[in-house]
Amino acid sequence: MTDSKAFSLGSNVSGLGQKGLDHNQVIAIDGPAASGKSTAAQRVAVSLNFVHVNSGLFFRTITWWALKNGLSEATDAFLEALGDLDINLERFQSDLNVVVDNVAPGEALHGPTVTEQVSAIAQLPAVRSMVLERLHYASSQFDIVCDGRDIGTTVFRQANLKVYLIADVLERARRRLAEGKHDMSEESLKREQARLNARDRADTSRVHSPLRKAKDAIEIDTTRMNLDEVVEVILSLARERKLG
Ligand code: C5P
């Protein structure tokens, strides 16, 4: 892993970055759960030689850390511990991995427990501002493709390109199950659709930075598209804007 590089984005970082807070080029990709944002963002980043920043990973990591430490998001103890939380980002090729307390939680971040709890944690203003600060820091260091829920509306309002990916919930459930090599029975698909709908409801109805399409975002319905097609559309939009 010769090109793996760790740098601290912990709460003690204040001056922020060699280049200050200027933003480099930013492509923002938002959309509901399992709309394919992350995979598309990763591929776009590789093509343009940008860094992929999956903002959901921050919220998942904080959720994982809270669960591991028995902290409930509704308590002062949670907020106090959050203030001391040291999160490092580790660059590996075109991605940034999140490391907390020197541990990279890896696959646990996508397990059912974290996925069920993450929207409750993500609605907290203290959590959101912590993540926002780190995303701004990442963009002060690299040209980035950042995916999430509020990237075009809140985190990078001045992004050079904003894309909003959508897909029918049944198709999203299919993709999610295929990803985890789960069975595709009608029952499983129904359960997965219910989970995705619940998370989208929580993410669109929260007070702070809810999931919304930015006014200047370009919506792409990927229901009948494959990944290559989605990536190509985003890359052609990036080329139109002379990005990369
Ligand atoms: O993208 P992913 O499904 O990994 O995101 C997990 C959760 O993190 C979302 O359901 C949402 O609650 C939260 N999130 C957010 N804002 C973002 C990215 C993710 O609130 N920009």
Side-chain angles (χ1 to χ4, degrees), residues 29-35 37-38 54-60 63 109-110 114-115 117-123 128 131 135 146-152 155 176 196 199-200 202-204 206 208-211:
I29 304 184
D30 288 302
S35 54
K37 304 178 295 292
S38 215
N54 176 344
S55 66
L57 279 188
F58 284 92
F59 296 100
R60 287 178 181 272
T63 305
L109 295 185
H110 295 282
V114 168
T115 302
Q117 303 290 327
V118 64
S119 293
I121 297 274
Q123 68 172 330
R128 302 210 70 81
V131 173
L135 296 175
C146 185
D147 70 277
R149 303 294 188 288
D150 62 338
I151 306 305
V155 181
R176 198 29 62 96
L196 294 174
R199 201 140 60 92
D200 291 346
D203 290 342
T204 49
R206 69 177 173 228
H208 302 284
S209 254
L211 166 67

Side-chain angles (χ1 to χ4, degrees), residues 80 144 149 220 238 243:
E80 208 172 297
I144 61 172
R149 303 294 188 288
I220 306 173
L243 301 177

